[in-house]
Amino acid sequence: MRRKFIVLAAGVLVAAACGGSQPEPVTPAPVAIDSTAIKEQMRQDSIAAAERARAEAERRATEAALAAAALITNQLTAEVHDMINFDFDRSDIRMEDEANLDRKAAIMMANAAVRMRIAGHADDRGSDEYNLALGNRRAESAKRYLVNQGVDGSRINIVSFGEERPLDPAQTEEAWTKNRRDEFEMTAGASQLVAPN
Amino acid sequence: MRRWIGAVALVLVAGSLAAQDSVPPVDQGVRVGIEYTPGVRPRLVVFPGPGYDSVRPILQRDLDYSDRFELIYVGYHPDGASAGGVNYQLYRRLGAQYGVELTPSGSATVVRLHDLDAGEVRSHQTVIFPPPDAPEFRMAVHQISDEIVRWVTGTPGYAASRLAYVGRKRLWVVDSDGVGNRSLTGADEAVLSPAWSPDGRRIVYTRFDEGMGSLQLLFLASGSTVTVPSTRSGLNYASAFSPDGRILAYTRSGEGGTDVFRVDVGDMCCLQRLTVGRYADNLSPTYSPDGRRIAFVSTRAGPPQIYVMSADGTDQELLASFDFGATGSSFAPEWSPDGAQVAFHRAIEGRFQVFVLDLASRRVRQLTSAGRNEDPTWAPDGRHVAFVSTRSGRRQLWIVDTETGRIRQLGTPDAVRLPSWSRRFGGAAGVNH
């Protein structure tokens, strides 16, 4: 900073010396000029700092809002992904799963961009090929339920895994119960979800 | 022409050998309507002699597995040989009714069936066996085995055939005697529902992918596959060729449920829906050998049961009768090659057992009771049925003779699913008359 002012002062001297035929008494550049510049600089700096603080606050607020939204999205995603289970060789929705599906329907209605894939699964006690049909029927059942709640059917796609992808390969009643299920996956519009009213 | 040099010094190793590898007791979880009496089968001996050490064991095992004969095993002792024809009297003393003789004739082999009681050659055929290390060697022996069965019984055996099945999500094939297991697909695809074309040149299977499945036509000679165009979307499985090999009937699941469709795979055209189940599933079609009817599974009455329709989808009716609430669910029908029976599996006390429906009487017969038994598939002789059973502790292939109840395991390295038995491989290379 200091060095710059000295150079500047020297420059003024040279300019004056080479200037005109009418020599003026040479006086050194007053220090007061520099002081104004510094004040101006400080003013600018303080504006910038305020600007930065405001941006930072804004960024933090946005971040917090995003985090809150992400939290909501995560919660809603988990609710959509929550599986439902079926009785042996049955594809009708059990009463205890209706609230679960009602919630999924509400979330889909509040988020029009969401598309869903429902995958039906079976335990391995049934026939291999029949289980593909059974899984399909289980996926269809959940889709029909959601459509009856007002979700546009074209937003839901169904597939069946039959007994090809068990959650638990054990040959126990507990494992079979787990494996008879519908899985729900959002295939589009799931990056940010809003909670239904 | 060289005749086989007289059988002298026949060492009867049969007694002990036969006992250890012969007929298992009938009560291995098999129930059939006919009492099994080993004595009623004619005794057959494959004459010992020099050479044919690779042929003879295959022949003997095929004839044994045909369940048409009681095999007598005799050893060969060249020092005791003397000139002369077949010593009919000696073999008759062993209780044999039939003898199979192999004699070289130039580069060919003359196969003769001797009727030992009549003391004469009943049938014969000249065969050129490929070298024992050639890939087609075993099948050539299987084909002559099937001929020998035909000479005696009027209908050929089933040795010259293969089974396709799913193991560790891959497609496998194995010869009917359990030899030559090999995988035809890689680790990059998951296979379901293989089925042979009637000419044995193609296998159709489902390539299962994330809840969807397309039908693949695998051409065995080239190893190339073609996707059936109508199955590029949705889940398509449980398919069956029509007897002329042109039409594929298959199951399709998706929006609107599960139904049976048919498509012309000769021209890849003319898709037709054969069933319309509103809230019922229709699946697992199987053609009658005359191609005019299709048996299938339907849930139209609630529990899955076996129905039948005309090949165009008309005249749908119940095929295997059931008592609502009492009879177990029934699955996986397969029409027998002679058209007389349909095999399927049905839940009995929560476990699957293999049944056979006789179409003339419409009566069902339970074939199995030990372990879980499912997905029956007919041998080309219309008499043997292969199925998946857990009786040994894991899912393995077993073959039962529906006439005698005799049962054997067909060894495979992995757990087995969804077997399909080919028809007989005919037009033998190297076989002429």
Side-chain angles (χ1 to χ4, degrees), chain A residues 1 18 20 44 47 57 104 132 154 159 166 169 195:
Chain A
M1 224 34 159
C18 305
Q44 291 294 345
I47 289 170
K104 292 188 206 314
L132 292 168
S154 69
V159 295

Side-chain angles (χ1 to χ4, degrees), chain A residues 14-189:
Chain A
V14 174
C18 305
S21 50
Q22 219 176 20
E24 288 280 319
V26 175
T27 51
V31 171
I33 292 172
D34 290 338
S35 159
T36 308
I38 286 165
K39 276 181 183 159
E40 174 59 16
Q41 187 62 39
M42 284 171 68
R43 199 180 67 86
Q44 291 294 345
D45 286 354
S46 93
I47 289 170
E51 194 66 36
R52 272 201 304 280
R54 198 180 58 79
E56 174 63 15
E58 217 166 68
R59 192 184 64 74
R60 282 204 185 130
T62 309
E63 215 165 61
L66 280 176
L71 196 66
I72 289 169
T73 297
N74 285 346
Q75 278 167 0
L76 294 174
T77 301
E79 284 180 280
V80 171
H81 284 181
D82 197 11
M83 297 176 204
I84 61 170
N85 294 99
F86 294 86
D87 294 336
F88 177 67
D89 197 16
R90 299 302 298 256
S91 57
D92 43 328
I93 303 298
R94 302 182 308 178
M95 273 213 312
E96 63 257 47
D97 287 323
E98 287 182 0
N100 178 325
L101 289 175
D102 288 343
R103 180 69 178 161
K104 292 188 206 314
I107 294 168
M108 286 202 72
M109 306 273 270
N111 295 274
V114 167
R115 301 183 79 83
M116 179 188 272
R117 188 185 85 157
I118 307 177
H121 295 256
D123 70 36
D124 66 3
R125 281 182 299 169
S127 250
D128 292 13
E129 288 168 340
Y130 173 76
N131 274 341
L132 292 168
L134 178 59
N136 191 73
R137 216 185 314 142
R138 285 176 174 161
E140 263 188 312
S141 271
K143 173 172 177 172
R144 195 178 312 125
Y145 188 97
L146 296 176
V147 168
N148 286 342
Q149 300 305 303
V151 179
D152 181 355
S154 69
R155 296 169 60 195
I156 304 171
N157 174 32
I158 60 164
V159 295
S160 169
F161 282 85
E163 62 177 77
E164 305 305 310
R165 197 172 288 179
L167 282 179
D168 183 346
Q171 294 296 306
T172 61
E173 197 61 57
E174 197 194 350
W176 293 325
T177 303
K178 253 191 267 178
N179 292 336
R180 297 189 298 265
R181 70 199 190 275
D182 271 349
E183 290 186 2
F184 302 84
E185 189 192 330
M186 287 180 285
T187 53

Side-chain angles (χ1 to χ4, degrees), chain B residues 19 50 54 102 104 107 162 207 225 252 274 281 307 318 347 353 379:
Chain B
S54 310
L102 303 167
S107 62
R162 295 194 167 108
R207 178 181 288 162
T225 54
R252 181 179 178 87
L274 297 182
D281 292 338
Y307 291 75
L318 185 67
Q353 301 300 343

Side-chain angles (χ1 to χ4, degrees), chain B residues 19 46 62 68 106 146 153 196 214 271 293 323 328 368 382 432:
Chain B
V46 178
D62 287 349
R68 304 287 196 153
D146 289 347
T153 68
W196 289 90
S214 60
L271 178 67
R293 289 190 291 167
D323 291 333
T368 61
N432 48 65

Side-chain angles (χ1 to χ4, degrees), chain B residues 47-177:
Chain B
F47 295 152
Y52 297 113
D53 288 345
S54 310
V55 175
R56 206 170 273 110
I58 301 173
L59 209 55
Q60 282 170 328
R61 189 160 62 169
D62 287 349
L63 295 171
D64 180 25
Y65 285 174
S66 79
D67 295 312
R68 304 287 196 153
F69 309 105
E70 190 74 24
L71 265 283
I72 296 175
Y73 298 87
V74 285
Y76 172 63
H77 199 282
D79 293 345
S82 70
V86 173
N87 189 337
Y88 287 120
Q89 213 184 349
L90 177 61
Y91 287 114
R92 274 203 297 270
R93 270 213 302 278
L94 296 171
Q97 276 100 58
Y98 294 103
V100 174
E101 184 192 18
L102 303 167
T103 42
S105 167
S107 62
T109 301
V110 183
V111 181
R112 290 186 186 82
L113 175 72
H114 294 269
D115 182 332
L116 299 174
D117 289 332
E120 60 185 31
V121 172
R122 181 145 152 188
S123 307
H124 71 279
Q125 185 171 317
T126 303
V127 186
I128 297 172
F129 288 120
D133 56 350
E136 65 275 19
F137 168 73
R138 296 187 66 88
M139 199 50 79
V141 179
H142 291 326
Q143 280 163 345
I144 197 66
S145 301
D146 289 347
E147 268 303 284
I148 292 166
V149 174
R150 193 176 66 81
W151 291 341
V152 174
T153 68
T155 55
Y158 65 87
S161 61
R162 295 194 167 108
L163 290 104
Y165 65 91
V166 176
R168 274 186 301 134
K169 299 192 189 294
R170 293 186 191 207
L171 171 64
W172 296 75
V173 291
V174 59
D175 292 356
S176 71
D177 61 351

